[in-house]
Amino acid sequence: MKSLSQRGQAMPSSPIRKLVPFADQAKAAGKHVYHLNIGQPDIKTPDSFMNPIKNLDMPVLEYGPSAGLTSLRKKMVEYYQRFDIDVDYEDILITTGGSEAIIFTLMAICDPGDEVIIPEPFYTNYNGFALEAGVNIVPITSGIEDNFQLPPIASLKEKITDKTRAIMICNPNNPTGYVYSKKEMLALRDIAQRHDLFLLSDEVYREFLYDGETHTSVMHLEGIDDRTIMLDSVSKRYSACGARIGMIVTKNRSVINAALKFGMARLCPPTIEQIGTEAGIDTPQSYFDEVINEYVERRNVMVAALKEMPGVVVPMPKGAFYLVVKLPVKDADAFARWLLTDFDVNNETVMVAPANGFYSTPGLGKDEVRIAYVLNVEDIRKAMHILAEGLKAYPGRIQ
Amino acid sequence: MKSLSQRGQAMPSSPIRKLVPFADQAKAAGKHVYHLNIGQPDIKTPDSFMNPIKNLDMPVLEYGPSAGLTSLRKKMVEYYQRFDIDVDYEDILITTGGSEAIIFTLMAICDPGDEVIIPEPFYTNYNGFALEAGVNIVPITSGIEDNFQLPPIASLKEKITDKTRAIMICNPNNPTGYVYSKKEMLALRDIAQRHDLFLLSDEVYREFLYDGETHTSVMHLEGIDDRTIMLDSVSKRYSACGARIGMIVTKNRSVINAALKFGMARLCPPTIEQIGTEAGIDTPQSYFDEVINEYVERRNVMVAALKEMPGVVVPMPKGAFYLVVKLPVKDADAFARWLLTDFDVNNETVMVAPANGFYSTPGLGKDEVRIAYVLNVEDIRKAMHILAEGLKAYPGRIQ
């Protein structure tokens, strides 16, 4: 058999995926598995998004423009205005999912061997995108004991080398649910400016803010328009993960133009989902109010249940729909597997995502898991009961 | 303004795109432009493809599997059987367009700095994909005087170095319309085997075969299953260019698994268009018969008209819907621009693609253009009349 590339071999498998065969086994054995491991919401995609797709009158499903449908880009301007983000449609490039937005941005601003500083834990797929772009991720560690706030700027400064091209955050954060404060955003602005860096912000969870939390977008920062790049996606906003529509937003037209050249090579993002997205922007606020209320209740039920569990450390997430918790176990990976293979309550169990895969520094997060609150409240109650019982019964539990 | 990556700067703009501003100017001035420059067919997308999209009953537009919908992969097995291509559904990876199929394949088999040998002229976007993957394209030149057949194997052998990982062809060929013979395919098999190379074949124009031409797929070659990778797309087959659904097909499961890791990072291809594609596979043969008849007539009308033009060299294309012709001009790029800016017949003109962008060797193809026969016969007649008059009137014409 012919050998493959080192790049292909180095490409990381998601730590969540590693557990999938065990979940499949559990299901094959008749066990019900509550999936707290993935960010697939159960929320209905709004009719506003789906209706124009069902009513499609398009004799030829043609190539769209490489930058995305102009009508969608213009409609996105209106959408961003609702968040006091003032951009022109030419500041917006439509991509095939947030994934492509990140890859195109990394390729536009970094050459192979360049470095991007990212607070860890971070969304695991950043590792894959970085590897594809030949970029090295340099982590700065946020601690669970600090509620995953931005690490001290001093520790960030230490990581800056002549290879550093950008700082990248996810805000609201996946996996921690942390929402960066205005003060933290201003500190990031200052350091980006002082050290001549780009500042990238993945803001796909913009709508998912709780307890009156306010969101400071990277696009709100003044005086660094040529450095700030916002990465976006409709996957979570409209519960349209299968649509694969994302955005790069920046006032630095050189970045847009460079990213567009990568976009031209792949011709265009999918047309039909762009049509859904454009119409989805008119989804009534009541849809989001309901969704947010639902997530707040889910989060509250989950956090309350977790806090009842002895030895579990639970930071309060303020956004997105994940939280990272510390468990009284030595190896959360083994525990997550054990829940699938060796444990059940009335033939039901739970699947959680071991958090070590969200850290870049080896050894970190070994006793942490990411839990998504994407199930209904009733299922969350049941899942939390199972997790509590599992922790009691687990032979590897730290006393 | 912050500087961008060298990679972004090096990323090639399509030679066709460079003319777009001139076409826009012509249109703004009220001129009608016949587009012979792009591969966007005017053929109706079949109802079989669009109907299930219109009848979509999917409360949540969820993530699909990273490898593509299993039902689509299984249906593709049935599709390929019609072409005597015998594969298992696990030999098929669904990608976001043929573009992604090529990028994932290059990244799975090549490391940065590796080389892939491709007969030129070739589809210009291969340059962009290669740059993204850090791969160097090494061209071997097919000549218009030889009807763009495979260059002598000896010239191919000369190009093989210790960096060479693969030979890649497009068959039927874009931009030349050439269809590789069984003998040529066997020669490619032998050299791939002897020199331990992968053999990649972009076969998106499989259906577009004329004059009883037969197609030898790379998947028909015996004895090199671990080296052959077929790249596919539904864009042209179902006139669904905006769908962005492609495929990697290979019996080398290590390649599938490596490509799948890149696929996992980007989560999944667009769901709705996969549903259309799956249903599209049941498009009745009569649809394709009609389409092929239409293209044969278009080609015949176009080739006959071109042959009437003094000094024009016209190889007969046997597949796809392009041809590359040699014009009696020194600089086809300048001529194509002139047609847009300085020429019209009754306020109408034509847009063609200068062929130099399809060659990797500098200086080649300067007197050639690619012409797509994607307009109806009446429009092709008009467009050919304009081209003929343009060649007569062009000040830069070679006598």
Side-chain angles (χ1 to χ4, degrees), chain A residues 32-86:
Chain A
H32 179 73
V33 178
Y34 291 100
H35 281 276
L36 304 174
N37 58 304
I38 45 165
Q40 172 58 59
D42 62 343
I43 303 287
K44 189 176 175 301
T45 310
D47 293 336
S48 49
F49 189 105
M50 294 300 265
N51 282 344
I53 293 172
K54 293 183 186 174
N55 296 321
L56 209 60
D57 183 19
M58 185 177 268
V60 185
L61 181 51
E62 293 190 356
Y63 286 124
S66 295
L69 299 176
T70 305
S71 55
L72 170 58
R73 295 166 78 198
K74 291 186 171 169
K75 191 78 186 171
M76 286 302 300
V77 170
E78 185 187 322
Y79 165 79
Y80 287 125
Q81 275 169 348
R82 297 177 200 158
F83 299 89
D84 287 321
I85 294 169
D86 183 31

Short mmCIF file of all heavy atoms in Angstrom, two decimals, chain A residues 32-86:
data_model
loop_
_atom_site.label_atom_id
_atom_site.label_comp_id
_atom_site.label_asym_id
_atom_site.label_seq_id
_atom_site.Cartn_x
_atom_site.Cartn_y
_atom_site.Cartn_z
N HIS A 32 -29.79 3.33 25.78
CA HIS A 32 -30.05 4.68 25.27
C HIS A 32 -28.91 5.60 25.72
O HIS A 32 -28.49 5.55 26.87
CB HIS A 32 -31.39 5.21 25.80
CG HIS A 32 -31.67 6.61 25.33
ND1 HIS A 32 -32.04 6.89 24.03
CD2 HIS A 32 -31.59 7.80 25.96
CE1 HIS A 32 -32.19 8.19 23.90
NE2 HIS A 32 -31.91 8.78 25.05
N VAL A 33 -28.40 6.42 24.78
CA VAL A 33 -27.29 7.32 25.11
C VAL A 33 -27.75 8.77 24.99
O VAL A 33 -28.21 9.20 23.93
CB VAL A 33 -26.09 7.09 24.17
CG1 VAL A 33 -24.96 8.07 24.48
CG2 VAL A 33 -25.59 5.65 24.26
N TYR A 34 -27.65 9.53 26.07
CA TYR A 34 -27.91 10.98 26.01
C TYR A 34 -26.65 11.67 25.52
O TYR A 34 -25.59 11.58 26.16
CB TYR A 34 -28.30 11.52 27.40
CG TYR A 34 -29.65 11.03 27.87
CD1 TYR A 34 -29.75 9.97 28.77
CD2 TYR A 34 -30.82 11.62 27.40
CE1 TYR A 34 -30.99 9.51 29.19
CE2 TYR A 34 -32.07 11.15 27.81
CZ TYR A 34 -32.14 10.10 28.71
OH TYR A 34 -33.37 9.64 29.11
N HIS A 35 -26.76 12.37 24.38
CA HIS A 35 -25.58 12.99 23.79
C HIS A 35 -25.37 14.40 24.33
O HIS A 35 -26.03 15.35 23.92
CB HIS A 35 -25.72 13.04 22.26
CG HIS A 35 -25.40 11.74 21.62
ND1 HIS A 35 -24.11 11.36 21.31
CD2 HIS A 35 -26.18 10.70 21.25
CE1 HIS A 35 -24.12 10.14 20.77
NE2 HIS A 35 -25.37 9.72 20.73
N LEU A 36 -24.43 14.50 25.26
CA LEU A 36 -24.04 15.81 25.78
C LEU A 36 -22.69 16.20 25.19
O LEU A 36 -22.06 17.15 25.61
CB LEU A 36 -23.93 15.76 27.31
CG LEU A 36 -25.18 15.28 28.04
CD1 LEU A 36 -24.90 15.11 29.53
CD2 LEU A 36 -26.33 16.26 27.83
N ASN A 37 -22.26 15.42 24.21
CA ASN A 37 -20.89 15.56 23.70
C ASN A 37 -20.79 16.46 22.47
O ASN A 37 -19.70 16.85 22.10
CB ASN A 37 -20.33 14.18 23.35
CG ASN A 37 -21.19 13.45 22.34
OD1 ASN A 37 -22.39 13.25 22.57
ND2 ASN A 37 -20.62 13.07 21.23
N ILE A 38 -21.91 16.74 21.82
CA ILE A 38 -21.81 17.52 20.57
C ILE A 38 -22.70 18.75 20.59
O ILE A 38 -23.67 18.83 21.35
CB ILE A 38 -22.19 16.68 19.32
CG1 ILE A 38 -23.46 15.87 19.59
CG2 ILE A 38 -21.04 15.81 18.89
CD1 ILE A 38 -24.09 15.31 18.34
N GLY A 39 -22.34 19.71 19.70
CA GLY A 39 -23.06 20.98 19.64
C GLY A 39 -24.15 20.97 18.60
O GLY A 39 -24.34 21.95 17.90
N GLN A 40 -24.86 19.86 18.48
CA GLN A 40 -25.98 19.78 17.54
C GLN A 40 -27.25 20.12 18.29
O GLN A 40 -27.75 19.30 19.04
CB GLN A 40 -26.07 18.39 16.93
CG GLN A 40 -27.32 18.16 16.08
CD GLN A 40 -27.45 19.16 14.94
OE1 GLN A 40 -26.60 19.26 14.09
NE2 GLN A 40 -28.52 19.96 14.94
N PRO A 41 -27.77 21.35 18.13
CA PRO A 41 -28.98 21.70 18.88
C PRO A 41 -30.19 20.91 18.37
O PRO A 41 -30.24 20.53 17.19
CB PRO A 41 -29.17 23.19 18.59
CG PRO A 41 -27.98 23.65 17.82
CD PRO A 41 -27.32 22.44 17.25
N ASP A 42 -31.15 20.70 19.25
CA ASP A 42 -32.41 20.04 18.87
C ASP A 42 -33.47 21.08 18.48
O ASP A 42 -34.60 20.73 18.21
CB ASP A 42 -32.92 19.21 20.04
CG ASP A 42 -33.22 20.07 21.26
OD1 ASP A 42 -32.72 21.23 21.30
OD2 ASP A 42 -33.93 19.61 22.16
N ILE A 43 -33.07 22.35 18.47
CA ILE A 43 -34.00 23.46 18.20
C ILE A 43 -34.43 23.44 16.73
O ILE A 43 -33.61 23.19 15.84
CB ILE A 43 -33.28 24.81 18.51
CG1 ILE A 43 -32.79 24.85 19.95
CG2 ILE A 43 -34.15 26.00 18.13
CD1 ILE A 43 -33.84 25.01 21.00
N LYS A 44 -35.70 23.71 16.50
CA LYS A 44 -36.23 23.72 15.13
C LYS A 44 -35.57 24.83 14.30
O LYS A 44 -35.40 25.95 14.77
CB LYS A 44 -37.75 23.94 15.21
CG LYS A 44 -38.49 23.76 13.90
CD LYS A 44 -39.99 23.91 14.13
CE LYS A 44 -40.77 23.85 12.82
NZ LYS A 44 -40.42 24.87 11.84
N THR A 45 -35.22 24.51 13.06
CA THR A 45 -34.77 25.54 12.12
C THR A 45 -35.98 26.42 11.81
O THR A 45 -37.06 25.90 11.52
CB THR A 45 -34.24 24.89 10.83
OG1 THR A 45 -33.31 23.86 11.18
CG2 THR A 45 -33.57 25.91 9.92
N PRO A 46 -35.84 27.76 11.88
CA PRO A 46 -37.04 28.59 11.69
C PRO A 46 -37.63 28.45 10.28
O PRO A 46 -36.91 28.25 9.31
CB PRO A 46 -36.54 30.02 11.94
CG PRO A 46 -35.05 29.95 11.85
CD PRO A 46 -34.65 28.56 12.20
N ASP A 47 -38.96 28.58 10.20
CA ASP A 47 -39.65 28.51 8.90
C ASP A 47 -39.12 29.58 7.95
O ASP A 47 -39.04 29.35 6.73
CB ASP A 47 -41.15 28.72 9.09
CG ASP A 47 -41.78 27.56 9.85
OD1 ASP A 47 -41.19 26.46 9.83
OD2 ASP A 47 -42.83 27.76 10.48
N SER A 48 -38.77 30.72 8.52
CA SER A 48 -38.25 31.82 7.68
C SER A 48 -37.05 31.35 6.86
O SER A 48 -36.83 31.80 5.75
CB SER A 48 -37.85 33.00 8.56
OG SER A 48 -37.05 32.54 9.63
N PHE A 49 -36.26 30.44 7.42
CA PHE A 49 -35.07 29.92 6.74
C PHE A 49 -35.48 28.87 5.71
O PHE A 49 -34.98 28.86 4.58
CB PHE A 49 -34.14 29.30 7.80
CG PHE A 49 -32.78 28.89 7.29
CD1 PHE A 49 -31.65 29.65 7.60
CD2 PHE A 49 -32.60 27.75 6.52
CE1 PHE A 49 -30.39 29.28 7.14
CE2 PHE A 49 -31.36 27.37 6.06
CZ PHE A 49 -30.25 28.14 6.37
N MET A 50 -36.39 27.97 6.11
CA MET A 50 -36.70 26.81 5.27
C MET A 50 -37.70 27.12 4.16
O MET A 50 -37.63 26.51 3.08
CB MET A 50 -37.22 25.66 6.13
CG MET A 50 -36.18 25.10 7.10
SD MET A 50 -34.69 24.43 6.28
CE MET A 50 -35.12 22.70 6.17
N ASN A 51 -38.62 28.05 4.40
CA ASN A 51 -39.69 28.27 3.42
C ASN A 51 -39.20 28.66 2.02
O ASN A 51 -39.66 28.08 1.03
CB ASN A 51 -40.70 29.29 3.95
CG ASN A 51 -41.65 28.64 4.95
OD1 ASN A 51 -41.74 27.41 5.03
ND2 ASN A 51 -42.33 29.45 5.74
N PRO A 52 -38.28 29.61 1.91
CA PRO A 52 -37.84 29.96 0.55
C PRO A 52 -37.15 28.80 -0.16
O PRO A 52 -37.11 28.75 -1.39
CB PRO A 52 -36.88 31.13 0.77
CG PRO A 52 -36.51 31.08 2.20
CD PRO A 52 -37.65 30.44 2.93
N ILE A 53 -36.59 27.88 0.61
CA ILE A 53 -35.96 26.69 0.01
C ILE A 53 -37.05 25.78 -0.55
O ILE A 53 -36.94 25.26 -1.66
CB ILE A 53 -35.08 25.97 1.05
CG1 ILE A 53 -33.88 26.87 1.41
CG2 ILE A 53 -34.64 24.61 0.55
CD1 ILE A 53 -33.03 26.38 2.56
N LYS A 54 -38.14 25.64 0.22
CA LYS A 54 -39.24 24.80 -0.27
C LYS A 54 -39.94 25.44 -1.46
O LYS A 54 -40.53 24.75 -2.28
CB LYS A 54 -40.24 24.58 0.87
CG LYS A 54 -39.64 23.72 1.99
CD LYS A 54 -40.67 23.45 3.05
CE LYS A 54 -40.05 22.74 4.23
NZ LYS A 54 -40.98 22.59 5.35
N ASN A 55 -39.89 26.76 -1.52
CA ASN A 55 -40.58 27.47 -2.61
C ASN A 55 -39.62 27.87 -3.74
O ASN A 55 -39.92 28.76 -4.53
CB ASN A 55 -41.26 28.72 -2.06
CG ASN A 55 -42.35 28.36 -1.07
OD1 ASN A 55 -43.08 27.39 -1.26
ND2 ASN A 55 -42.45 29.12 0.00
N LEU A 56 -38.50 27.20 -3.79
CA LEU A 56 -37.46 27.56 -4.74
C LEU A 56 -37.98 27.51 -6.18
O LEU A 56 -38.55 26.53 -6.60
CB LEU A 56 -36.32 26.55 -4.58
CG LEU A 56 -34.91 27.02 -4.91
CD1 LEU A 56 -34.51 28.20 -4.03
CD2 LEU A 56 -33.94 25.86 -4.67
N ASP A 57 -37.76 28.60 -6.90
CA ASP A 57 -38.13 28.62 -8.30
C ASP A 57 -36.86 28.99 -9.09
O ASP A 57 -36.61 30.15 -9.38
CB ASP A 57 -39.24 29.65 -8.54
CG ASP A 57 -39.69 29.64 -9.99
OD1 ASP A 57 -39.42 28.64 -10.69
OD2 ASP A 57 -40.29 30.64 -10.42
N MET A 58 -36.06 27.98 -9.37
CA MET A 58 -34.73 28.21 -9.93
C MET A 58 -34.49 27.13 -10.97
O MET A 58 -34.12 26.00 -10.63
CB MET A 58 -33.74 28.09 -8.78
CG MET A 58 -32.32 28.41 -9.16
SD MET A 58 -31.25 28.31 -7.70
CE MET A 58 -31.30 30.02 -7.18
N PRO A 59 -34.73 27.43 -12.23
CA PRO A 59 -34.63 26.38 -13.27
C PRO A 59 -33.23 25.76 -13.33
O PRO A 59 -33.09 24.57 -13.49
CB PRO A 59 -34.94 27.13 -14.57
CG PRO A 59 -35.43 28.48 -14.19
CD PRO A 59 -35.08 28.75 -12.77
N VAL A 60 -32.19 26.60 -13.17
CA VAL A 60 -30.82 26.09 -13.20
C VAL A 60 -30.13 26.47 -11.88
O VAL A 60 -30.07 27.64 -11.52
CB VAL A 60 -30.02 26.71 -14.38
CG1 VAL A 60 -28.63 26.07 -14.46
CG2 VAL A 60 -30.76 26.53 -15.70
N LEU A 61 -29.66 25.45 -11.18
CA LEU A 61 -28.94 25.68 -9.92
C LEU A 61 -27.51 26.10 -10.25
O LEU A 61 -26.58 25.32 -10.23
CB LEU A 61 -28.97 24.40 -9.07
CG LEU A 61 -28.31 24.43 -7.70
CD1 LEU A 61 -28.79 25.61 -6.88
CD2 LEU A 61 -28.57 23.13 -6.95
N GLU A 62 -27.35 27.38 -10.56
CA GLU A 62 -26.09 27.90 -11.12
C GLU A 62 -25.04 28.18 -10.05
O GLU A 62 -25.35 28.30 -8.88
CB GLU A 62 -26.37 29.23 -11.83
CG GLU A 62 -27.22 29.09 -13.07
CD GLU A 62 -27.25 30.38 -13.88
OE1 GLU A 62 -26.68 31.39 -13.44
OE2 GLU A 62 -27.86 30.36 -14.97
N TYR A 63 -23.80 28.33 -10.52
CA TYR A 63 -22.75 28.90 -9.67
C TYR A 63 -23.22 30.24 -9.16
O TYR A 63 -23.76 31.06 -9.92
CB TYR A 63 -21.47 29.17 -10.49
CG TYR A 63 -20.68 27.96 -10.88
CD1 TYR A 63 -20.37 27.71 -12.21
CD2 TYR A 63 -20.18 27.08 -9.92
CE1 TYR A 63 -19.61 26.61 -12.60
CE2 TYR A 63 -19.42 25.98 -10.30
CZ TYR A 63 -19.15 25.74 -11.63
OH TYR A 63 -18.40 24.66 -12.00
N GLY A 64 -22.99 30.51 -7.89
CA GLY A 64 -23.17 31.86 -7.39
C GLY A 64 -21.83 32.58 -7.44
O GLY A 64 -20.81 31.99 -7.80
N PRO A 65 -21.81 33.86 -7.04
CA PRO A 65 -20.53 34.57 -6.98
C PRO A 65 -19.62 33.95 -5.92
O PRO A 65 -20.11 33.45 -4.90
CB PRO A 65 -20.93 36.00 -6.56
CG PRO A 65 -22.41 36.09 -6.76
CD PRO A 65 -22.95 34.71 -6.65
N SER A 66 -18.31 33.99 -6.16
CA SER A 66 -17.36 33.39 -5.21
C SER A 66 -17.42 34.06 -3.84
O SER A 66 -17.15 33.43 -2.82
CB SER A 66 -15.94 33.49 -5.76
OG SER A 66 -15.82 32.71 -6.93
N ALA A 67 -17.78 35.34 -3.82
CA ALA A 67 -17.86 36.07 -2.55
C ALA A 67 -19.18 35.83 -1.84
O ALA A 67 -19.41 36.34 -0.75
CB ALA A 67 -17.67 37.56 -2.79
N GLY A 68 -20.05 35.05 -2.45
CA GLY A 68 -21.39 34.85 -1.90
C GLY A 68 -22.40 35.70 -2.66
O GLY A 68 -22.03 36.64 -3.36
N LEU A 69 -23.69 35.34 -2.53
CA LEU A 69 -24.74 36.10 -3.21
C LEU A 69 -24.70 37.55 -2.72
O LEU A 69 -24.68 37.79 -1.51
CB LEU A 69 -26.12 35.49 -2.91
CG LEU A 69 -26.36 34.04 -3.37
CD1 LEU A 69 -27.75 33.58 -2.91
CD2 LEU A 69 -26.24 33.92 -4.89
N THR A 70 -24.72 38.49 -3.64
CA THR A 70 -24.65 39.90 -3.25
C THR A 70 -25.84 40.27 -2.37
O THR A 70 -25.70 41.01 -1.39
CB THR A 70 -24.59 40.79 -4.51
OG1 THR A 70 -23.49 40.33 -5.31
CG2 THR A 70 -24.38 42.24 -4.16
N SER A 71 -27.00 39.74 -2.70
CA SER A 71 -28.19 40.06 -1.90
C SER A 71 -28.03 39.57 -0.46
O SER A 71 -28.46 40.23 0.49
CB SER A 71 -29.44 39.44 -2.54
OG SER A 71 -29.26 38.04 -2.72
N LEU A 72 -27.38 38.43 -0.28
CA LEU A 72 -27.13 37.93 1.08
C LEU A 72 -26.12 38.82 1.80
O LEU A 72 -26.31 39.18 2.97
CB LEU A 72 -26.61 36.48 1.03
CG LEU A 72 -26.08 35.91 2.36
CD1 LEU A 72 -27.14 35.97 3.47
CD2 LEU A 72 -25.59 34.46 2.18
N ARG A 73 -25.07 39.21 1.11
CA ARG A 73 -24.06 40.08 1.74
C ARG A 73 -24.70 41.40 2.18
O ARG A 73 -24.42 41.90 3.27
CB ARG A 73 -22.89 40.34 0.77
CG ARG A 73 -22.11 39.07 0.44
CD ARG A 73 -21.20 39.28 -0.76
NE ARG A 73 -19.99 40.01 -0.43
CZ ARG A 73 -19.21 40.61 -1.34
NH1 ARG A 73 -19.57 40.60 -2.63
NH2 ARG A 73 -18.12 41.23 -0.98
N LYS A 74 -25.60 41.92 1.35
CA LYS A 74 -26.27 43.18 1.71
C LYS A 74 -27.22 42.99 2.89
O LYS A 74 -27.32 43.85 3.76
CB LYS A 74 -27.00 43.74 0.49
CG LYS A 74 -26.02 44.24 -0.57
CD LYS A 74 -26.68 44.95 -1.74
CE LYS A 74 -25.59 45.58 -2.62
NZ LYS A 74 -26.12 46.06 -3.91
N LYS A 75 -27.87 41.84 2.90
CA LYS A 75 -28.79 41.56 4.02
C LYS A 75 -28.00 41.35 5.32
O LYS A 75 -28.48 41.69 6.41
CB LYS A 75 -29.60 40.31 3.67
CG LYS A 75 -30.77 40.03 4.58
CD LYS A 75 -31.96 40.90 4.28
CE LYS A 75 -33.07 40.68 5.32
NZ LYS A 75 -34.14 41.67 5.18
N MET A 76 -26.81 40.81 5.22
CA MET A 76 -25.97 40.62 6.41
C MET A 76 -25.59 41.97 7.03
O MET A 76 -25.43 42.08 8.24
CB MET A 76 -24.69 39.84 6.07
CG MET A 76 -24.84 38.35 5.80
SD MET A 76 -25.56 37.38 7.16
CE MET A 76 -24.39 37.65 8.50
N VAL A 77 -25.45 42.99 6.19
CA VAL A 77 -25.17 44.34 6.71
C VAL A 77 -26.27 44.76 7.68
O VAL A 77 -26.01 45.24 8.78
CB VAL A 77 -25.06 45.36 5.54
CG1 VAL A 77 -25.01 46.79 6.08
CG2 VAL A 77 -23.84 45.05 4.68
N GLU A 78 -27.51 44.51 7.23
CA GLU A 78 -28.68 44.83 8.06
C GLU A 78 -28.66 44.01 9.35
O GLU A 78 -28.91 44.53 10.44
CB GLU A 78 -29.92 44.49 7.22
CG GLU A 78 -31.24 44.86 7.82
CD GLU A 78 -32.40 44.31 6.97
OE1 GLU A 78 -32.30 44.31 5.72
OE2 GLU A 78 -33.40 43.87 7.58
N TYR A 79 -28.32 42.73 9.23
CA TYR A 79 -28.23 41.87 10.41
C TYR A 79 -27.21 42.41 11.41
O TYR A 79 -27.48 42.54 12.60
CB TYR A 79 -27.88 40.43 9.99
CG TYR A 79 -27.43 39.57 11.15
CD1 TYR A 79 -28.36 39.01 12.03
CD2 TYR A 79 -26.07 39.35 11.39
CE1 TYR A 79 -27.94 38.26 13.12
CE2 TYR A 79 -25.64 38.60 12.46
CZ TYR A 79 -26.58 38.06 13.32
OH TYR A 79 -26.17 37.32 14.41
N TYR A 80 -26.02 42.74 10.92
CA TYR A 80 -24.96 43.18 11.85
C TYR A 80 -25.31 44.52 12.49
O TYR A 80 -24.90 44.77 13.63
CB TYR A 80 -23.61 43.26 11.12
CG TYR A 80 -23.02 41.89 10.82
CD1 TYR A 80 -22.66 41.52 9.53
CD2 TYR A 80 -22.82 40.96 11.85
CE1 TYR A 80 -22.13 40.27 9.25
CE2 TYR A 80 -22.29 39.70 11.58
CZ TYR A 80 -21.95 39.36 10.28
OH TYR A 80 -21.44 38.12 10.03
N GLN A 81 -26.06 45.36 11.77
CA GLN A 81 -26.45 46.65 12.36
C GLN A 81 -27.22 46.46 13.66
O GLN A 81 -27.10 47.27 14.59
CB GLN A 81 -27.30 47.45 11.36
CG GLN A 81 -26.43 48.23 10.38
CD GLN A 81 -27.22 48.83 9.23
OE1 GLN A 81 -28.38 48.48 9.02
NE2 GLN A 81 -26.57 49.70 8.47
N ARG A 82 -27.97 45.37 13.74
CA ARG A 82 -28.72 45.10 14.98
C ARG A 82 -27.80 44.93 16.18
O ARG A 82 -28.21 45.03 17.32
CB ARG A 82 -29.55 43.82 14.83
CG ARG A 82 -30.59 43.91 13.75
CD ARG A 82 -31.33 42.57 13.62
NE ARG A 82 -31.98 42.50 12.32
CZ ARG A 82 -32.33 41.36 11.72
NH1 ARG A 82 -32.09 40.20 12.32
NH2 ARG A 82 -32.92 41.39 10.54
N PHE A 83 -26.54 44.63 15.91
CA PHE A 83 -25.56 44.42 16.99
C PHE A 83 -24.55 45.57 17.03
O PHE A 83 -23.45 45.41 17.55
CB PHE A 83 -24.84 43.08 16.79
CG PHE A 83 -25.78 41.91 16.83
CD1 PHE A 83 -26.41 41.46 15.68
CD2 PHE A 83 -26.07 41.27 18.04
CE1 PHE A 83 -27.30 40.41 15.70
CE2 PHE A 83 -26.96 40.21 18.07
CZ PHE A 83 -27.57 39.78 16.90
N ASP A 84 -24.97 46.70 16.45
CA ASP A 84 -24.08 47.87 16.40
C ASP A 84 -22.76 47.57 15.70
O ASP A 84 -21.71 48.11 16.06
CB ASP A 84 -23.80 48.43 17.81
CG ASP A 84 -25.02 49.13 18.37
OD1 ASP A 84 -25.70 49.82 17.59
OD2 ASP A 84 -25.30 48.97 19.57
N ILE A 85 -22.82 46.67 14.76
CA ILE A 85 -21.64 46.38 13.94
C ILE A 85 -21.88 47.01 12.59
O ILE A 85 -22.81 46.60 11.86
CB ILE A 85 -21.39 44.86 13.83
CG1 ILE A 85 -21.03 44.29 15.20
CG2 ILE A 85 -20.30 44.56 12.80
CD1 ILE A 85 -21.04 42.78 15.28
N ASP A 86 -21.09 48.02 12.30
CA ASP A 86 -21.35 48.85 11.12
C ASP A 86 -20.36 48.47 10.02
O ASP A 86 -19.19 48.85 10.06
CB ASP A 86 -21.19 50.32 11.53
CG ASP A 86 -21.52 51.25 10.38
OD1 ASP A 86 -22.39 50.87 9.56
OD2 ASP A 86 -20.89 52.31 10.29
#
